């Protein structure tokens, strides 16, 4: 469990590691060989609810990872959680994590980007094309 009495910088560093750990597990699965993919996918999806609960508990009442202050880790979390939500949308239908993602996407500059023609999130590979799960939107 993450200690909630750390300094803002310390909490941001810890949250960075929590989010990065989630992404490393996701990448391990995505870039695995096709013969190992299904087993790693099952393992990832079994562990995901606990990881998301840990992230939700860390954010707590928020609204951001370290409380009221928006930091770099919120942007990392948005990117990683949004990618994983694309992979497994059922895990992101309701609750504090989808609320957090939406709160981030509603920040004025991000909202403008997501609504612009410059936003390519639905038209590019999430991972490299050589990945077993590359997130190719044309295959979704």
């Amino acid at each position: 469990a993450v200690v909630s009495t750390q300094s803002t910088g310390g909490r941001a560093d810890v949250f960075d590691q929590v989010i990065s750990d989630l992404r490393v597990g996701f990448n391990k699965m995505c870039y695995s060989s096709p013969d190992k993919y299904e087993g790693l996918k099952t393992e990832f999806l079994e562990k995901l609810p606990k990881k998301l609960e840990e992230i939700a508990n860390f954010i707590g009442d928020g609204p951001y990872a370290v409380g009221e202050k928006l930091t770099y880790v919120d942007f990392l979390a948005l990117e990683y959680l949004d990618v994983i939500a694309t992979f497994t949308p059922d895990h992101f239908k309701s609750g504090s994590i989808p609320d957090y993602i939406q709160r981030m996407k509603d920040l004025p500059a991000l909202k403008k980007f997501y609504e612009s023609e410059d936003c390519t999130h639905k038209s590019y590979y999430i991972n490299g094309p050589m990945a077993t799960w590359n997130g190719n939107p044309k295959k979704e």
Side-chain angles (χ1 to χ4, degrees), residues 33-73:
S33 60
D35 62 314
K36 294 182 180 176
Y37 173 75
E38 287 302 324
L40 290 171
K41 177 182 174 183
T42 299
E43 181 182 325
F44 179 80
L45 291 174
E46 286 173 354
K47 292 179 179 179
L48 185 58
K50 186 173 191 266
K51 292 280 191 186
L52 293 177
E53 181 180 340
E54 182 179 341
I55 291 167
N57 288 338
F58 192 99
I59 296 168
D61 293 332
Y64 304 111
V66 297
E68 295 293 324
K69 185 176 181 182
L70 184 64
T71 65
Y72 77 97
V73 292

Side-chain angles (χ1 to χ4, degrees), residues 15 19 55-56 58-67 69-82 92 94-107 110:
F15 192 63
I19 293 295
I55 291 167
F58 192 99
I59 296 168
D61 293 332
Y64 304 111
V66 297
K69 185 176 181 182
L70 184 64
T71 65
Y72 77 97
V73 292
D74 292 297
F75 297 97
L76 287 176
L78 171 61
E79 179 183 353
Y80 296 167
L81 292 170
D82 202 30
F92 294 84
S94 64
S96 61
I97 300 293
D99 292 346
Y100 172 76
I101 292 170
Q102 192 58 56
R103 188 165 45 253
M104 290 295 298
K105 287 182 173 184
D106 284 342
L107 291 169
L110 289 179

